[in-house]
Amino acid sequence: MRDILIAGALALAACSPAAEEAENLAPSCDARAASAWAVSDAQYSVEAASAGPDCARAVATFVVRDASGAPIYAEAYLAQHVMVLADVSDTAAMETALRTWTDPANSTTMATTSALPDWPARANGPENGEFPFYADESVDRDTYLGLRQADVPLLCFVQGMESLACLALRNGQLEKVGVQTFPG
């Protein structure tokens, strides 16, 4: 009888709101990855992390840090809205996907701002044919052309289902230049 009472008490404790709440708070898609981004003599860290009750409902962060560890860029995304993170089903697969996401070698389409498409006079934005590039709303034509002329390092990464976000490194800081789309 005593064993039955103990088993019953344990079963009730497991069903208590506190136990259920603690179980719901523990993320089951907690993953991390980092890659190095070497630019001239400087070393940067490109990091990503995910957290959520499962990978389908995870939030992923993308962070770039300078050599001292200070963040110079950070953004959060719904993992299900980022091509390389969508459809990931478990933590081990998420770690692999985050490693792919943070690796600058996976974004070799444009290494510097001089490779950005031209923005002709009187055009509404840069022209790039089948792979349009949309300048960030904070970047006007003069700023954009100045970035192309400066030929500074460019870090592009998948930021959606069919697009790359491109960041220019100037004076130790990253600034978003715009988004390049690609056929999905």
Side-chain angles (χ1 to χ4, degrees), residues 30 40-42 80 86 92 113 148 154:
D30 187 8
S40 300
D41 295 339
Q80 64 183 335
T113 55
R148 285 187 76 219
L154 196 62

Side-chain angles (χ1 to χ4, degrees), residues 16-28:
S16 74
E20 189 175 311
E21 189 175 306
E23 184 178 305
N24 288 337
L25 291 177
S28 62

Side-chain angles (χ1 to χ4, degrees), residues 76-101:
Y77 299 88
L78 299 177
Q80 64 183 335
H81 293 168
V82 178
M83 183 180 64
V84 296
L85 307 178
D87 301 325
V88 172
S89 59
D90 60 52
T91 304
M94 182 60 83
E95 285 177 4
T96 300
L98 292 174
R99 218 173 358 271
T100 298
W101 196 33

Side-chain angles (χ1 to χ4, degrees), residues 116-127:
L116 289 166
D118 190 25
W119 186 338
R122 292 188 285 287
N124 290 332
E127 295 183 351

Side-chain angles (χ1 to χ4, degrees), residues 81-167:
H81 293 168
V82 178
M83 183 180 64
V84 296
L85 307 178
D87 301 325
V88 172
S89 59
D90 60 52
T91 304
M94 182 60 83
E95 285 177 4
T96 300
L98 292 174
R99 218 173 358 271
T100 298
W101 196 33
T102 61
D103 188 350
N106 290 327
S107 171
T108 57
T109 56
M110 296 181 285
T112 67
T113 55
S114 66
L116 289 166
D118 190 25
W119 186 338
R122 292 188 285 287
N124 290 332
E127 295 183 351
N128 202 33
E130 159 179 22
F131 301 99
F133 189 92
Y134 300 96
D136 191 69
E137 61 187 28
S138 66
V139 178
D140 62 17
R141 182 173 181 271
D142 289 339
T143 302
Y144 182 88
L145 294 176
L147 281 167
R148 285 187 76 219
Q149 182 77 27
D151 192 29
V152 296
L154 196 62
L155 176 66
C156 297
F157 63 95
V158 175
Q159 61 98 49
M161 296 305 275
E162 298 176 357
S163 59
L164 299 171
C166 293
L167 312 171

